[in-house]
Structure formats: structure tokens, C-alpha cells
Amino acid sequence: MQSALPRAYLILVGYLTDGRQEDKEKLVDGCLYLKDNTGIIPCELLHFELEWLESLFLFPSWSYIPQTDQSAAGYVEILVDPVPVNLPEEVPDSIPVTYPASAEPLLTSRIPCKKRSKLTVAGELARLGPLLCIHQKTFFFLFLKCFTSAVWVPVLVQKPNQMAWHHVLHLGRRYTITGLSVSSLKKSGQRLFVTGVSSCLLPYCAEQVREQPLDSAWQGESTQSSSFGTPEQLSNSLELGVEDERPGSTKESKIISYVGTVTKILNVQAGLFLLDNKVCLCLAYQQFLNSARGLRPGACVELIDVHLLQKPLVSFPFIVLGACLSSTVVLKSFSRLSTPYQPPASSGNLYLQLLFRYNLGMPLYLWLVSLLESFEERFSCFFGRRRLLLSSTHRNSGAAEKFLVPLLQAVVPDREKARDIYNEILAKTHQCPLQKYLTLNPPCQAPSLSAVFRVAEQKIWEGFSPSQLLSPLEAQHMGTQELNRRLSWSYCTLSAGSFQPRLILLGVLRVSSRSSSLQLQDKSSTLPCVISHKDGSPFAHTALIGSLLQVENYQLVVERFLQTDFPSWKQLSNLEHVREKKTSVYVQFYFEDVQVLHAAEGQIQKALRRGNSSSLRKKDDDSLTSELKTPEPKMMKLEDPKPDTHRDENCQKGQSSTRTTSCVSYLFLVTQKEGLMLRNYQLPREEDGEGQDLQRSFQATVLWLGRPRLWSHHTEAGNLPELEESSCDGKEGMTRQEALLLFMGKSLRWFPFLHLDGLYRFIVPHCSDLEVFDKLCFPPVPAKFLSGSSCPLCLLVQDTWHLQHETWISCLSEHQLATRSVLRGMNQRISSIPEVISNSFTGSLVSFSGEIVERTLCASLKNEKPSVTLGLQKQKGNLLASDHSVKLGVSVAPGSPVVVDVYIAATYLQHLWGLLPGAKIFFQNLERKISRFHNVYCTYIATSCVSIVSLPASHLPFPSSPAGEASSPSLVFLSNLQAHLQHLPQARILCHLSCVLTLSLQWVCSLCSSIFKQGRCTRHSPPCPSHTGVRQASARVLVEDGTGEACVLCRNQHVAAMLGLSLVEWEALQNCVQSRGRVSIQHGEATGTGCVEEPEDFVACYLRSLCRSPLICRPILLDFRLDRKPSKILQPAPLQLRNFRCGEMEFVSQVEPRLSLLCLNVEEVEQGALNYLNSERIRRASCHC
């Protein structure tokens, strides 16, 4: 609640002046001032007379209004008329005048007149234009109307001693102006009356004037041209906006008059004020009256001839009254509230500059204001200089201008006609940018990051149903545990076009030591991000930290985490079984799609100028601004402000006690990097490690290059002199000194920047001790256990050190080739996926890159020992249960037949972003394992690390199925599969179904997987409480395609397709099996497979007759993959002799052992399609011959 303005019971004494006497160089702006011999201060009066100028007055009632900026002076509001001390008395004379009806022909026709001829015009003030200040000239227009008709003439008032007239003139009153001459504008030639130096403004009095004929005074040779030129700033740079773009739906604004009270200043820089809590007044299209002095909340204003615009912007909540150059704004009464004065910026006002530059209509201008307000609110606290964001210069545009100009150029692409302000003021028919408008639906938005979170979460939960995550054909065969596990983790991706309007991301790039992830940050929140390069190189731009980024092409990933207890798939529509919903939101984009709006300043130089490095740690916990103004070296808000209590004494001793800008740097190459996790690290000074909490950390093995170097300034360390010296000395001159770097605490911020084969430099600011790195090194194990010197020394990275990325090995120049050859010898071996799954591979730790084709959440591997950190990780809020793992199917390229599975425990996933189908990942130091089914897979262990090489394609918004299923598998022969058994993920064959070997239909308990019979579980010890059964089916069939035979395992819905049963027949069969619990049959060569037959059951008899029916034996199109886990592992058999009969002829041939395949899809083949596929298959076979 605002308080009343306090009264000052003091009498002021001073002179009223327009400012001309104080500073002759100062521009006369039409404002009034109060002065004495001690100083001068602006003032505002509701009533003013011209004879008051330069006169001494007593001011009995006044109020001083301070500015919001306490360092700047305010102004004085004169509440009642001042009391004159001595006013000069003037004796009026009779004045000859001309009325507008008689003077108007001088402007419309070329009547010659004498040079320097003067004219006095009397009339009623019909319109009063605003004060305009352009090109260091102040002027305004007024219009005098005839007393008896509607004829009016324009008058240009431009002399400095006449600017005070603007305070005297009132609409509807009668005035006399002397000393007028006829002039014309240079460019348009439009004629008007112009005041001279001797012109006077007098109140009209009929007794003191006499009408003067024109013939006696106006006869001469030609008209003179006004020396006042057209202001190029407006007329040359203002063009029509989008108002005429769609004339069919364009609205016409109404011109009205309005009296209201200012209730709120919406944005003084943009000229927006709220009247009566319901109407927005926009003064941006005319310059502010007296620099907006007096327009405080509580003041009453009268608006004359303003434009009424209803709903110009969809998101703007108020009706708008726009004042154009033909409108008049009059201050009727001062505010009695103690609200300070907010002056608009006199120069560098980006709101008005962009408005005039692009000649924006009201809808676009309001949209521009909303973008700029949000921009300033979100990022002014980071950079501490608001003018840096909002000022505009020709040489160096601010961040806000870099952001807004491309958007405005897109919506106002054409500049056909410039805005002519003189025609806008003087034309008989009114024309201005506010005359016509079109309700604007904003083309884009740039909300705060907290709003991005809300909108993204709202979007993915709107209309969400768990049934969307699973195929009904798959879900109906899942037990309770598998069903809820498959629902517990899913994701969707949103692009800028997924939002209406299109969403642009803005944020300051920072890195958090708590999450060790890159983040975009504004005042409201932070958004984790994954940044990659389109060429596949890792993102390591440490210099970009603290920069303001704009991203329009991105993928906003929303991970969904559900805790559910669905008994079966039939209840998926019942959301009561969803116990908890959580989300995790992050964004991923390419660096090439980033526009840097504001580059981070040299934070190292800023830190060096601040004195000793201990000042880097002194931050105000309660002030975001203070933290941002004192960042760590080359960092902008790297950390939450917490004082560091682990300052190393050795480093302190090595630093100079005097203020210095020197620093020590050390170049190194990363040869190995391990993942981020909890480790049992203890500092060397800690004697007893018992009871110590595990430290979240990571480590990297590096190779020091050269020796530490001392620099007088940070910018000198940029030419890699260490490699230059090594190249001159040859390969022998390169010393191979390895070290194990330990990153803990605030140094965890360097985790996303550190990558294999990267050359980096540690920089220790305010340090001149070249042995600072050696002093901080310690052995990895206590000295009493250290038997040799083969282990590299450990170095604990200090919080104040700065990491600077220099280059990559592959980017070294020609004269550094010798060094590069030495460094490449240190590289870690990177294998290919075919090499990893090859039987000849012998390594236990593997590194490779590949594309994720499938992501599945599964139970943890049974042979994996639980990590000691599981409990701790769960306490820290891991969104997935610790007994889960994610299985990634990784291939060399999309559609490649080579796939390897990678298992990552859920406890590691909270530090891993971007593991999505379609993403290309580089895996380091995975453990290679072989399953009991002789399948090769890899697991993520403590020494492993992953990095994103490239992002998934943006056309996969809801990948509920594994990638690769959308593309049609290639058509192959069974005889060609033997050479590709280990590398074949999926294929298709045109084959003949020979017979059904085994068939099993059963109902199992959804909870314990026991047989479910007659509506209840058959488990008795202990009793199972479940009342929900799940139907399951499996069959083994024999197929051949003329080149070989294969045994195909079919499950669930594929069994019905193999048997040729319709949906109704299949449902009826399943209902019959439900009362029995299980029905199984076997046929032909399938003896010994463990399938027990029940000959007395009529359902079994039906199935047996169906399997032996010739209708089953038919051509089919089969999609399959290798059955990696057969129910019984058969040893490979040698070639066998088999008898084949065709009619009366019998053949003997050698055949390969039957392959074990897993059915993925079955399609019936019509005769026409069969002929086409046969011919296509024969054609492909002949091409390979």
C-alpha cells in the first residue's frame, strides 16, 4: 500500500525560467525550472503564464519528488499558483490580425509575398502537438481554427524562447500569434506558418485587435523556404509495419478523448502507463511530455484524440489508448502519493529505437516490449550493467538488440514506405501507425527457464495415459513386475515448433559442481543441457562459460518416472494405480546452432585485477548479484555461493604476498577419463579414514607436456610454447610424465569439458611458484605400501584453478608433427563393435562408439554384485530404483547388422544425460563379458565413461518402440545366414511353414508367474494373493525357403498368426485354456524338448489336429532375428545327409544344421505378392553370383 506524499511546510523563493540563461549550450527542451543563486531544479506547474518567466515568486505549496535513482536529482511539483514579488505591467496596444479563413489561401496557393513579411494570426487553438526534439532541435506544432468556420492553419513553433508556450496553450482557447512567416518543408514542399524570433503569443481579446486585409501587407516576389530540415532520423528510417499486410482482417482504431488516473507505471522506458487499472496508455509514438514528470501513480491526465485499440496482442490483458503525433496529453492534477519519479532514458532507449527503426504498429510494439521486459528481468542480474543489454550503438550492439533485431526483421521483412511525421501531423486526412491494426498472435516466445519447465511438464502430462507407452499386443502378456518396470521410465522430446508460439531458449551457460553438468541459467531457474558438435568432436569450450546464449534449434527432453502398481494391462486406463509421477527435463543442441548474444568477459583478467586469489572465495550467500560480479577465474556463476574451507596451504605459500597479475600454467594431455561417482577418496593429511563419507568425484589420467610456466598475463599463454620446444628437441625431448588428477568439490565443474585426446592447461592465478603442482602431488597409496614407482602421482585439483581447453591432437600444426606422433603413442585403444563381439577379442576393458538403437529398462543382472553406493545414491534422490538397469542396444550405424548390448546400473544414470535412441555415443572402458548363452555384452563399471558424439534426429518425438523397427528388414536366404549369425539383428525371409513342432498355451499369475487356473493362482506355499492372470503362448515351427531349414520360436500374438487364427478364434481358444491353466502339444521331431502333452483334453486334440492340418503349411513372410537364448542349447552339428521326396522321386542331399530364430512378425502372402517376391529374391541372388 502506498503512503501519502509528505508535505514540506516551507516557502520557496526563486525565479521561473526555461533554462536558457543558465547554459547557452544546453538544448532548450521546453521544461520549466526553478532557480536562485544556489542552483536550479526542474519544476512542474498545472497553470502557467508567459509573463511569469524570469520573475521572482514565492511558492507556498510544493512537493519535492525524488528519482528512483537516489544519486540523481528529482523535481518540484508546484501545487498552487505562486505569489509574484514584482510582475511588470504592460499596456495593451491595438494589434492588426488576420484570421485563419483569410490566411489559409496563403498556404494552398502560390500567392507571392515580400521577403521578411510578417503576419499576425488570431484564432482558436484546435490542436496542440507534442514537443519534439530531433537533431538537437526542439519544436512543436499548433493549429489555429477560425472562430466562425472549420478552417484551420498550422503553425510551427521552433525558436528556443518560445518552447515555454507549450505550457500556456490550452485547447479551445483563443490566441493571437505575431511575427509569423510562410515557409515550406524542404522535402515535401508543404507550406505552413513559422514563428520568428520576435514572435509573441498573446491571449485573444476582441477589444485589442483589428482585422487587417492581406492586400496591404502581402505583396512581393516569392516565398522563402524554411531553414528547418526534415529530420532524417525519423523520416529516413521509419517504414510501414505489418498493419497493411492483411487488409481483409485489419481493424480500424477509434479516436476518442479520455480522462483517467494513473494507477501503475507498466514500463516508463517503453512509455506504458496503466489508467484506472483497466486501460493502458502508450506514449511511445510521441515523445514524453516533460520527460514524463508528473506522470506518477495517482496523477490525473486528460487524453485528447487518442487511438483506442482493443486486443492488439493476444497475450496483452488491457485495452490500449495510443497517443500519436496528433494527440494531446494534459496533466490535470498531481499525485498525492509518495511514489518516486522514474525518468525515461533520454538516449540509448532500445524500446523507442526499434519502434522507430522498424515503424512497428501497436501489436508488434507490445510484443517487443514483452520480450525486452522478460530479457531484462532474467539477465540484468548476471551482468550487472543494464545498459549493456539495452543500449544500441552502431559499432557494438547490445545483447538485447542482437536477440530482437533478427526477430523483427522476420516479421517486418519489407520496407516499402517511410513514415513521414510531417504529413502525419499536417495532413487533412489523418494517417499514423496507430490508425489500423491487426490482432497479433506472437510468432515466437522466450519465456523464463522456470516457465519452460512448467510448460514442458504440462505438455507431456496432458492427456497422458500409461497405455500409450506399451503396445496392447505386448502388454497383455506381461506380468505385474515387468509391466510396471516398463512403465517406470519413458521420455519424449520437444522441439521449438512443439510449442505455440515457437519457443526460443535463452540462458547463461554455466556448469554446476553439484551435478557436474552444463546448464543454461537465468534468474528464475537452471536447465541442464547437452552440447555437441556436428562434426562429432566433443564440446570443450571453457571460454564460453558465462556467455549469454540463444538457441532456436534444440531438443527439449522430458524424462518421465512413474511408480505404479498395475495388476495387469487391463487396468492401464485406471490412473489410481499411478502412485507417483516425476520428471527430469534437460535440453540438447549443437554448438553450431548457438548464437552468442553476450560473450563472457575475460574472467581470468578480472580475477587477476582483484588482487590475491583468496578474494575469489569471498562471496555473499544472500546476494546473487554479488556472486555474479565476483566469479571464479573465467567463470560466470560457476557455483552456489559457499565458502571453501579446504584451501591448500602449499599453494598459499607459493603465491606472492603483493598484488600481482602473474599466473602459473601447466599443459597436459588427457589419456583416460573415468566416470563421475562416489569414491572412497581421502585427503593425504587425513590419518584415519574411518567414518568418512564417500566423496563424489572423478579422475583422469593425464600426460604433462613440458614444464610449468610463469606468465605475467594470462593472454600470453596461447601459442603452446611447450610443444614448440618439444618439436625442436625431437621425440627424445618429450618427457612422458603421467599424473592422476583427482577432481572433488568445486573442481567437479570441469567434468563436462574434459575429454580424451584433448590438450588442456591448468592456470593458477596470482601464483609465481613454478613448483606449485609438485608440492600438491602425493602417492596414490601410503608410502609403506608403495613398492615401486610405476604408479603415477596423484594431484588433487584445487577449486581456484582454471581449466582452459587449447586444442586436440588431430588439430596440431605441421611443425608439431613430432610431438603429435609421440602423443598418439599414448592413445587409448578404440575398438569397433564387430571387433568387440568377435570371438577372437581378448581384452576385458573396451572403448568404442556407436549409435543407440534401443533403450530398455530391465532388472539388474543377476551376476552383478550390488554397488556399495546404492544406498547412498538412493538417498540422494535417484529417480529410478537401484535394482534396475538400462540396456542399450548399440550398433555401428542405423540399419547395421552388428549390435552389442550395454548394461548401465540405474545408480549411474543420474550423471548421464542424452542416452536416447538415435544418439551416437562414445563408450570408454566398459567391461566386456560373455553370457552363458555365448553372447557378448558390456557393462558400465567404476572406470567407465560415456560422452555424446551426436544427437538423435529430431523426427523421433515419441520413441515408444526400438529404433530400427520402422524400416523394412532386408530379404535374405536361410543359406546365407550361417556367415552372419553373430552380426544379424533383424532380417526377413520368404519361406514355407513346414510344421508346428511344439505349442504351449498357458495362463500364469501376474505376480508370481505360477500357473493361473480357474481365476486364482495355484501356488500354495506360501499362498499367492493375486487374482489376476496373464496369458502366454509359445510355439516352435519349422520353416524352409529352398536353401535351408530353420526352427522359429514364436511367442504370444505371433502364435495366432502362425496358426492362421482370427482374433475371435484366438480369444475363444484362450478362454478355454484359462479354465485348464495350461495346454501343450508336441509333434514330429520335437521330442525331448520338455513339452508335456495331455492327450485326453479336447482343446489339446483340437490344437493337435490344427497343427497337423495341411492348411497350416503355407507360404509366409517372416521377420526374425537370431534366437540368442534358446530353451535348450544344442551343439552345432556337422553336415548331415537328408532324404527328400518329390512325388515318386527321392533325393539325398547334405544340409546344414537348423538355425534357431525368433519370430518378430508374420505376414500372409497372396499369390501375386508371392510371385513378385520370388522373382525379386532370384534377381538379388543372381546379382551376388
Side-chain angles (χ1 to χ4, degrees), residues 44 99 108 162 221-222 272 323 628 664 698 718 746 1118 1185:
E44 287 294 320
Y99 294 103
T108 57
Q162 299 161 0
E221 301 174 358
S222 62
L272 299 181
L628 295 172
V664 176
F698 77 97
K746 293 184 179 181
L1118 176 68
C1185 295

Side-chain angles (χ1 to χ4, degrees), residues 969-972 977 984-989 1118-1121 1160:
S970 57
L971 197 62
V972 298
L977 296 181
L984 188 69
Q986 187 174 343
R988 170 178 292 186
I989 56 172
L1118 176 68
D1119 293 352
F1120 68 92
R1121 64 175 174 85
L1160 300 178

Side-chain angles (χ1 to χ4, degrees), residues 840-905:
S840 60
F841 193 88
T842 58
S844 59
L845 295 180
V846 294
S847 299
F848 59 89
S849 62
E851 182 173 320
I852 300 176
V853 296
E854 182 180 3
R855 188 183 81 166
T856 308
L857 190 66
C858 57
S860 295
L861 300 178
K862 295 181 180 180
N863 59 346
E864 294 294 328
K865 295 181 179 180
S867 172
V868 295
T869 64
L870 290 184
L872 292 175
Q873 295 283 6
K874 186 63 178 178
Q875 293 175 5
K876 292 182 179 295
N878 196 10
L879 297 177
L880 287 176
S882 58
D883 58 346
H884 286 171
S885 294
V886 62
K887 184 182 77 170
L888 303 177
V890 183
S891 70
V892 178
S896 171
V898 183
V899 177
V900 63
D901 291 335
V902 177
Y903 291 87
I904 304 177

Side-chain angles (χ1 to χ4, degrees), residues 428-567:
K428 298 288 184 180
T429 303
H430 179 61
Q431 296 179 355
C432 75
L434 303 179
Q435 191 172 9
K436 297 179 180 180
Y437 69 100
L438 181 67
T439 299
L440 177 67
N441 197 349
C444 64
Q445 58 177 325
S448 64
L449 294 181
S450 60
V452 171
F453 273 97
R454 292 194 302 269
V455 172
E457 291 178 347
Q458 179 183 1
K459 197 172 188 64
I460 67 162
W461 293 123
E462 281 182 351
F464 171 75
S465 174
S467 59
Q468 300 171 354
L469 304 178
L470 298 173
S471 168
L473 296 177
E474 296 179 357
Q476 62 183 336
H477 304 292
M478 294 181 181
T480 299
Q481 187 176 6
E482 181 183 3
L483 178 67
N484 291 288
R485 182 171 62 242
R486 291 284 295 272
L487 295 174
S488 62
W489 188 29
S490 60
Y491 80 98
C492 68
T493 58
L494 305 171
S495 63
S498 302
F499 302 90
Q500 293 300 327
R502 180 172 56 91
L503 194 148
I504 298 175
L505 287 179
L506 298 174
V508 178
L509 184 66
R510 68 180 291 267
V511 59
S512 170
S513 63
R514 295 183 179 181
S515 62
S516 300
S517 64
L518 294 171
Q519 295 177 344
L520 293 179
Q521 185 182 29
D522 63 4
K523 185 179 180 180
S524 66
S525 184
T526 58
L527 178 63
C529 60
V530 176
I531 308 179
S532 300
H533 283 276
K534 291 185 177 180
D535 61 0
S537 60
F539 177 78
H541 295 275
T542 54
L544 205 62
I545 298 176
S547 299
L548 179 56
L549 307 184
Q550 173 184 346
V551 189
E552 297 189 42
N553 187 14
Y554 57 86
Q555 296 176 3
L556 191 64
V557 183
V558 184
E559 303 269 10
R560 286 181 294 228
F561 301 91
L562 299 178
Q563 288 188 10
T564 59
D565 56 1
F566 288 101

